[in-house]
Amino acid sequence: MDVLWWVGAALLFIVVEVVSVNLVLVMFAGGALAAALANALGAPVGVQFVTFAVVSGLLLFALRPWLLRRLRGRMPLVETNAAAQVGRVATVVADVGPAGGRIKLTGEVWSARTARDGLAFPVGAEVRVVRLDGATAIVDGSVPPMHLAPPAEPGFPEHKENA
């Protein structure tokens, strides 16, 4: 095998890693670069593949967990899609109880049920989504009132007068 083949494979792994950001394919890229070095040193093809596998495995199991901890420590994990709905406030549109019901959550109607037996929420009640069970929102408790500042009068910017 040629050194360029291994370098090309490493570049391909890196390009695909940029899209996925799972820190898996970049470890394979490291293994491919190690195999390219083995090729440049004159190692036979079998040794190159073993080098690729061993270095990739070491990077996956030794370096990747450390990198993930550092990355998550620097950037908070932002939930997306359905997981982002947990913790949001919803309005009951069809009575919700342990057997089911419907809520309006971020403009969409979801099937819902209560988190605990014995709870029930009437139409119009505000509830909080505590978790998701497939496509069903699990809700609990009424939402405490939020303490908001009174809105400013429209058209009048707020300013302090000099005394």
Side-chain angles (χ1 to χ4, degrees):
M1 297 192 92
D2 191 18
V3 172
L4 291 177
W5 190 91
W6 286 111
V7 172
L11 290 174
L12 180 65
F13 284 133
I14 290 170
V15 167
V16 176
E17 178 67 42
V18 168
V19 175
S20 69
V21 195
N22 286 326
L23 296 181
V24 172
L25 296 176
V26 73
M27 302 304 154
F28 291 145
L33 291 175
L37 178 63
N39 180 290
L41 295 174
V45 172
V47 172
Q48 293 174 37
F49 276 103
V50 168
T51 301
F52 169 76
V54 168
V55 170
S56 295
L58 286 173
L59 291 174
L60 271 172
F61 296 108
L63 184 60
R64 182 175 180 266
W66 179 80
L67 285 174
L68 285 174
R69 279 192 304 274
R70 291 231 11 180
L71 183 65
R72 290 188 180 133
R74 298 175 97 195
M75 272 189 259
L77 180 63
V78 177
E79 295 290 351
T80 59
N81 301 328
Q85 305 307 327
V86 174
R88 291 188 185 244
V89 176
T91 304
V92 176
V93 295
D95 292 346
V96 176
R102 314 258 314 149
I103 60 171
K104 189 163 199 170
L105 178 63
T106 62
E108 298 177 340
V109 176
W110 285 63
S111 58
R113 68 174 186 268
T114 57
R116 295 176 277 147
D117 288 339
L119 280 181
F121 300 104
V123 173
E126 288 191 335
V127 293
R128 187 169 306 277
V129 176
V130 293
R131 72 178 186 278
L132 297 174
D133 184 12
T136 302
I138 309 301
V139 298
D140 196 10
S142 54
V143 178
M146 296 183 69
H147 300 287
L148 300 174
E153 292 184 38
F156 296 101
E158 295 179 20
H159 62 20
K160 292 183 180 179
E161 294 181 16
N162 293 335

